[in-house]
Structure formats: structure tokens, C-alpha cells
Amino acid sequence: MVVVQASKLTLPNPSLFSPHITSVLFEPSSLSLALMHSDSSFSLYPSFSPLSSSSSSFPSLHTLIPSPSSSSTFLLLQSSNPNSTPRVLFIVSGPRKAGSEVLLRFYILRKSKAFAKARVLCSQKDLRFESNLGVLVNAKHGVSIKLAGSINYFAMYSVSSSKIWVFGAKMEGGDGGDDDSVVVKLMRCAVVECSKPIWSLSISFGFLLLGEENGVRVFNLRRLVKGRDNKAKSLKSDIRGSSLPNGIIGNDYRKHGARDRGSKSHGIEGLSEVTCNGDVEWKIGKHRGPVKQMNAKFRQDDRDGGVCFVALKRYDVETKSSAKVSISTKAVSIQALSQRKFLVLDSAGDLHLLCLDNSVVGANMTGHMRQLTRTMKVQNMAIHPDVSMISQTAWISDGHNTVHVVAIDVDNASNATDGNDGDDKLPHLPVVQVIFSGERIQDVISLASNAVLILGQGSLYAYAIS
């Protein structure tokens, strides 16, 4: 592989008084970019294509989201029609009333290719929408909020409340191209009560993944949404006719009957449409229509079917007395490689491959963790998952001045026999390319399987490889 294109991106309206960029989010299906600034405000850019002919400049049309903000995520709104184009929603959390409430602000990407505030309908207890603010959640904001989104679902974790809320969203209106009639219906589906700290949060391919100390806990998202209603189980609810998109999160079209993995080119290889069947309605027997959703409650250490904990490798350190002390690590980042395989970064800078063996609804999930050979002490990683590819590309950085492009043969790595025979038995990560940056690297964002966005000390760089 060689770098075939590289460019430094000129930030809009440069000024000595402009707040620096501290983090970046990218939504590949719509090419939407979100920049978080040092004053906790956001700039939203639609149709951001840094490797096009006009790569050095940002789109002139952007949306400024004022501070304070604590976390953010992109969410795709997919209707029950698998042939419809998903709509993009950007969600920002922040404190309200000295942190006594959580404020969620919703911005929808209009057909005019501009972000605007979304009208939200929510009728459940402890949720209320105020047009001049957003959705107010009766929960403590505290010191930290984490958001994670996928398709029709997002999760919110509050450290102070020690809870995770799982929300479902559905778009209504907008027929005939009228964006003014669009309404986003918001529904709280489940609450997970946490007894241990959560270090990372992810929703991918129908799973809610919690990065914890010494391992990763995995919830089946469909089970979270359905709850433990025995009546619903006895009725054999038709998941395929249900909304919230039946727990199918991601772009596995072949297995679940949606359209083929046709690539919708945006000038960068590997960008494809993401589709999912679902809406915020249920179909049970002959009945179809809005049904009161059960706000199911779960525990973090739930041992019921549909939940599993997969441990990380523990490190032994010798002390002066020659005694070995086990050192715990935390799963600080989790990103999907494929439907049942995930790359996990721990607090020691090592990478692990998490493989889930069973994702059948109602069955006990199992999984195993495989540590990968260390090429560096990793601080940042980024992946653009493509289920059609056998080998995945991962971008990893040591947080200094280099980004390594590594190829992960997912099947070979996961099929390796686990054991304690030393590092020579660990799956190897071949480095196929090294990118050097003139600035210390803060963040790495995958634009596609062959393109990456690097955040330096306030500067953005785009690279494409071939």
C-alpha cells in the first residue's frame, strides 16, 4: 500500500480566538462531520468529502451547536421500508439546571443537505420536549455522560446515576419532500442498572457492548427491547414485522433479507448505504400499531440469557519480593470488525479480538477474547467495518506522530487456538503502511477502508491509500 493522496484541511474562518478542535465524529453514509471544540460547542458539516477535488476547504454551510456539550453520537433513522434512504440524526448531551437533568438536543439532516433542530415527540414519564431546548431527561448529568448510536437505537450512560438508558427513535412525516413536517418519535426501551464503572459504550450489529474493568459485557439488543414479558414470548411476536429495527444493527443485508451490499460511491472506496428494517411499532399476530413499550429494567451483572461477560487477559507483574501481582486493565474502546467480531483496546495499550459465538435471541451468548500481537502501545484506533471483506483495515496510533495501517484477517485470528504458550502464539497484525504526522496525534477517524482523517494539535489531515 502507498499513500496516493494527502491533504491538510483548511478550517473555516480561522482566527486566533477560534476554539481548538478536541474531537471528531464522522458518519460515512451521509459524509457528515462533527467537530467538537475546546469550549464544548460543535460544528456540523454535511457532505464532507475531504479527498474530492476541493479537498482543502470545508463546506460553507454548517450548523453551530452552542455549549455546553458533554457527548455526542450520530444515529441513522431507517423506516420499515428497506428500500428507503436512512435519515441522519445528530444527538448531543449536556447538563441542564446545574446537572439535575440531562438535555438531549437533536439535529436532523434535511434533504437540503443542512442540519436543523428536530421536533421530537416523547410521551413517557421523565421525558419531556421543549422546543427552545430539546429533550429533558429526569436523570443526573453529573461529571460524565456517554452516548452511543447506531440504527434507530442509541444508549446513554450516566456515571452519577449508574444507569444506562436505551432509546429507540422513529421518523414520521416528511412525505413529498416536506422537511418541516418531520417529527422524531423518541421512546425509552430499557434501563440497565450498573454496579461497576463503564469505560466505553458501543452499539453494533444488534449488541450493546460495555467496556468494563478486566473485560467486555455484551447485551443482546433485541432482548433489551423486548424485555422479559412472558406474554410477548408466548405470542411469538414477529420480530421481522417489529420496529426498532429488530436488533439488526449494521449492514448485513444478505442474511436478513434487505437489499444487496451495493456500494453507493461518494468518491471514497468502501462507502456504502446502511439499511435496516424497522419502525417504532410492533406486530403481534394480526395486530399492528403503536403498543405501549415496556421499559424493561436489567442489572449490569444479569446472568439471564442474552448477556455474557468476556474477560481480558490479566497482566502479572513481579514485585521486589519476586511475588507476582495481577494488574487489571480496562476496555476503553470497542469497535466492530464484522457481525460478531469486535476490536477491543485496553488501558495498557493492547488490542484484543472479541468473538461472539452465539447471537440467537433467547439463547445464552458465549464468546472468547484473543489478545493480538503488540506492534505499539496503542492510544487511538479506528475501523471502517465492511462485512463483505475477509480482511479488515484498522488504523492505530501511539498518540505521538505515527499512524499504522494494519490488516486484520478476522477469520484466521479468531480461529487461532487460545492458550498461554507465549506471544509467538498470538495472532499477528501485519503493518502494511505507516503514516507520519508533523503534529502530535489526538484522534484518528476512519473515512473508509482506504481513507483516514487525523486530528493533530488543532489541524486536520486526510489521507487515502491504495
Side-chain angles (χ1 to χ4, degrees):
M1 287 188 176
V2 295
V3 175
V4 296
Q5 189 175 353
S7 60
K8 179 179 179 180
L9 306 179
T10 303
L11 300 179
N13 302 321
S15 169
L16 293 176
F17 302 101
S18 300
H20 294 292
I21 301 172
T22 57
S23 64
V24 182
L25 281 179
F26 182 71
E27 200 292 300
S29 68
S30 64
L31 303 180
S32 298
L33 181 74
L35 304 179
M36 187 176 188
H37 303 286
S38 54
D39 63 352
S40 80
S41 64
F42 274 92
S43 295
L44 269 177
Y45 296 90
S47 303
F48 174 74
S49 185
L51 298 173
S52 64
S53 57
S54 58
S55 60
S56 62
S57 61
F58 277 71
S60 58
L61 184 63
H62 71 282
T63 302
L64 180 64
I65 302 176
S67 60
S69 304
S70 53
S71 185
S72 64
T73 188
F74 281 107
L75 178 73
L76 289 181
L77 297 173
Q78 175 65 56
S79 70
S80 56
N81 180 7
N83 294 319
S84 63
T85 302
R87 297 291 292 271
V88 176
L89 200 65
F90 185 68
I91 309 172
V92 182
S93 66
R96 179 65 177 167
K97 293 182 180 179
S100 61
E101 291 179 302
V102 177
L103 173 63
L104 296 177
R105 289 174 284 176
F106 295 79
Y107 294 81
I108 193 166
L109 181 59
R110 299 166 69 98
K111 294 181 180 179
S112 60
K113 299 301 180 183
F115 279 95
K117 280 188 176 182
R119 290 191 298 151
V120 182
L121 176 63
C122 50
S123 57
Q124 290 175 301
K125 182 181 178 182
D126 297 332
L127 296 176
R128 72 180 190 276
F129 174 71
E130 295 187 8
S131 58
N132 61 327
L133 293 174
V135 174
L136 293 170
V137 184
N138 186 17
K140 293 180 180 179
H141 184 283
V143 296
S144 176
I145 289 287
K146 288 184 174 67
L147 294 178
S150 187
I151 301 178
N152 290 4
Y153 289 101
F154 72 96
M156 181 183 77
Y157 169 57
S158 168
V159 175
S160 298
S161 298
S162 297
K163 291 181 181 179
I164 297 171
W165 291 264
V166 179
F167 295 92
K170 176 192 176 184
M171 183 189 69
E172 287 195 346
D175 298 333
D178 182 14
D179 277 326
D180 293 332
S181 62
V182 171
V183 176
V184 176
K185 285 189 174 182
L186 181 67
M187 181 178 292
R188 183 181 58 242
C189 302
V191 177
V192 179
E193 297 180 349
C194 300
S195 57
K196 303 175 183 178
I198 304 298
W199 300 98
S200 58
L201 183 69
S202 176
I203 296 182
S204 297
F205 293 101
F207 300 104
L208 172 67
L209 300 103
L210 311 181
E212 301 181 10
E213 187 172 8
N214 296 323
V216 175
R217 195 174 306 274
V218 185
F219 284 82
N220 190 308
L221 191 59
R222 288 169 62 179
R223 178 178 174 273
L224 282 175
V225 174
K226 288 178 62 178
R228 301 187 179 93
D229 189 4
N230 293 327
K231 292 182 179 179
K233 291 180 181 179
S234 64
L235 287 172
K236 297 181 180 180
S237 58
D238 183 4
I239 289 297
R240 289 170 297 180
S242 123
S243 64
L244 296 177
N246 313 335
I248 308 304
I249 306 298
N251 50 2
D252 178 22
Y253 313 137
R254 178 180 58 186
K255 185 174 180 179
H256 298 283
R259 56 185 169 185
D260 276 336
R261 302 184 188 94
S263 179
K264 187 175 182 180
S265 175
H266 295 279
I268 299 177
E269 175 189 349
L271 292 183
S272 59
E273 293 179 290
V274 180
T275 63
C276 190
N277 58 320
D279 52 41
V280 189
E281 292 180 343
W282 286 90
K283 182 180 180 182
I284 299 179
K286 296 182 179 180
H287 174 75
R288 180 175 178 86
V291 177
K292 185 177 181 181
Q293 184 79 9
M294 180 170 45
N295 185 23
K297 291 186 178 180
F298 295 82
R299 297 188 312 274
Q300 182 179 359
D301 57 353
D302 202 320
R303 297 181 181 272
D304 200 356
V307 185
C308 70
F309 180 82
V310 187
L312 293 166
K313 178 182 178 181
R314 299 177 71 92
Y315 297 88
D316 293 332
V317 178
E318 291 189 2
T319 63
K320 292 182 179 179
S321 61
S322 299
K324 290 186 177 181
V325 178
S326 183
I327 304 298
S328 64
T329 57
K330 306 171 183 66
V332 295
S333 181
I334 306 169
Q335 297 194 29
L337 286 168
S338 63
Q339 284 179 291
R340 300 184 187 180
K341 298 179 177 67
F342 304 85
L343 196 62
V344 180
L345 171 62
D346 68 23
S347 54
D350 284 321
L351 295 174
H352 307 258
L353 182 63
L354 168 63
C355 302
L356 300 179
D357 302 324
N358 194 338
S359 61
V360 178
V361 177
N364 288 324
M365 286 194 301
T366 58
H368 61 276
M369 193 84 71
R370 185 76 176 145
Q371 184 181 341
L372 303 177
T373 302
R374 171 181 282 194
T375 57
M376 64 169 72
K377 187 174 181 180
V378 180
Q379 293 295 316
N380 311 102
M381 71 174 183
I383 302 166
H384 183 85
D386 185 349
V387 294
S388 65
M389 301 293 291
I390 297 177
S391 179
Q392 297 286 359
T393 300
W395 314 80
I396 60 175
S397 171
D398 58 2
H400 295 290
N401 297 87
T402 60
V403 174
H404 287 193
V405 187
V406 298
I408 303 177
D409 190 333
V410 178
D411 290 335
N412 287 343
S414 60
N415 291 334
T417 303
D418 198 3
N420 298 316
D421 297 327
D423 289 342
D424 58 324
K425 298 295 183 180
L426 300 180
H428 180 59
L429 286 180
V431 177
V432 296
Q433 184 77 30
V434 179
I435 298 174
F436 295 94
S437 171
E439 300 181 16
R440 187 181 179 90
I441 297 170
Q442 293 190 72
D443 205 354
V444 179
I445 303 295
S446 178
L447 300 175
S449 59
N450 68 323
V452 68
L453 192 67
I454 297 176
L455 173 62
Q457 299 298 303
S459 300
L460 282 172
Y461 302 86
Y463 295 87
I465 61 176
S466 176

